């Protein structure tokens, strides 16, 4: 209904992680069944808005990479202590 109101046949959706894709894929399929003229386009979010797992941050730190932008100062302090053990 919103697409009709806006005179559009395209829905643009952003994805942060693969887990978002499962839900969005189902949603786009339902929209297509409701109106076969609707197309859904997916764009990956900018890395700064993606979900970052602690496992990845720990792995980067373990490999001596800079994780400052991925975590808080207090977590960074604890990571350094743990890696120096």
């Amino acid at each position: 209904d919103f697409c009709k109101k806006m005179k559009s046949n395209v829905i643009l959706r952003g994805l942060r992680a693969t887990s978002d894709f499962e839900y969005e894929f189902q949603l786009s399929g339902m929209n297509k069944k409701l109106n076969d003229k609707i197309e859904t386009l997916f764009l990956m979010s900018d890395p700064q808005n993606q979900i970052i797992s602690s496992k990845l941050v720990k792995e980067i730190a373990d490999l001596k990479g800079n994780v400052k932008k991925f975590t808080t100062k207090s977590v960074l302090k604890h990571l350094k202590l743990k890696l120096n053990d």
Side-chain angles (χ1 to χ4, degrees):
D1 290 342
F2 184 74
C3 283
K4 281 182 188 176
K5 181 180 176 183
M6 301 308 293
K7 297 180 182 170
S8 175
N9 63 342
V10 176
I11 299 173
L12 184 61
R13 305 286 292 186
L15 302 175
R16 295 172 299 154
T18 56
S19 56
D20 289 348
F21 179 76
E22 293 176 35
Y23 170 76
E24 296 293 342
F25 184 73
Q26 291 177 19
L27 185 63
S28 69
M30 188 56 68
N31 285 331
K32 192 76 164 170
K33 287 179 183 178
L34 292 169
N35 181 341
D36 65 354
K37 291 178 178 42
I38 292 177
E39 293 294 335
T40 303
L41 300 175
F42 299 106
L43 294 176
M44 296 304 299
S45 67
D46 189 282
Q48 72 183 28
N49 298 318
Q50 291 176 352
I51 299 167
I52 309 245
S53 74
S54 61
K55 181 180 178 183
L56 288 177
V57 173
K58 289 175 193 171
E59 186 174 345
I60 292 167
D62 191 39
L63 295 169
K64 309 294 186 231
N66 185 351
V67 295
K68 196 175 191 176
K69 58 186 163 191
F70 302 122
T71 189
T72 63
K73 288 180 184 179
S74 62
V75 170
L76 189 59
K77 180 182 172 183
H78 289 287
L79 263 176
K80 285 180 181 180
L81 288 173
K82 186 174 182 176
L83 290 174
N84 290 329
D85 286 343

